Amino acid sequence: MLTIDFITVDCRNPMLLAEFWCEMLDWEVGGQDDESAWIEPRNKDLVVSPRILFYKNPDTKLVKNRLHFDLRPDHQQLEVERALALGATRANIGQTGEESWIVMADPEGNEFCILREP
């Protein structure tokens, strides 16, 4: 049997992204070293997703991510505003404006989507 332990994101500053995503997801830093930091849910009894590892990489991000997070909020616009206050930016990857999701980028430019409310 296999399970996904980590989703790994290359980045220049692992702790910067770990702290950003902890705030976005209400998770906590699970550990760190010179090359990486990882985050995990605060409530270990409710673990339903893999941890996220941010791994130091000096390369500059040049193109759209091939993998990204889709976040389902209770209130889309409030989460967009919160993400912006935490250091995210709006990202344009060719949207038409008719989408039900809003494309954002974390502090290192990694795209993620905030979906419409359920």
Side-chain angles (χ1 to χ4, degrees):
M1 177 177 148
L2 290 175
T3 59
I4 298 173
D5 191 25
F6 287 104
I7 295 171
T8 301
V9 178
D10 286 350
C11 60
R12 289 178 177 239
N13 187 332
M15 272 312 293
L16 173 71
L17 288 192
E19 290 168 350
F20 171 82
W21 283 104
C22 279
E23 288 295 321
M24 283 298 300
L25 300 172
D26 192 28
W27 285 19
E28 64 187 4
V29 174
Q32 72 178 90
D33 59 29
D34 291 342
E35 298 294 316
S36 65
W38 68 87
I39 66 173
E40 57 195 19
R42 290 181 193 280
N43 185 340
K44 304 306 184 264
D45 295 331
L46 298 177
V47 174
V48 294
S49 62
R51 298 175 289 175
I52 303 170
L53 174 71
F54 300 99
Y55 193 79
K56 191 171 188 173
N57 182 324
D59 296 341
T60 301
K61 181 182 178 306
L62 299 175
V63 298
K64 177 183 171 294
N65 292 12
R66 293 187 66 167
L67 179 135
H68 67 270
F69 302 126
D70 285 340
L71 308 176
R72 177 76 64 190
D74 289 330
H75 189 280
Q76 185 183 49
Q77 194 54 44
L78 288 178
E79 289 302 325
V80 168
E81 292 169 13
R82 192 168 72 87
L84 290 168
L86 290 171
T89 56
R90 289 182 179 261
N92 184 342
I93 57 169
Q95 304 93 299
T96 65
E98 300 298 317
E99 296 81 8
S100 62
W101 60 87
I102 297 172
V103 182
M104 309 289 293
D106 72 17
E108 287 205 10
N110 300 299
E111 296 91 5
F112 63 96
C113 294
I114 299 181
L115 306 175
R116 182 176 38 208
E117 301 86 349

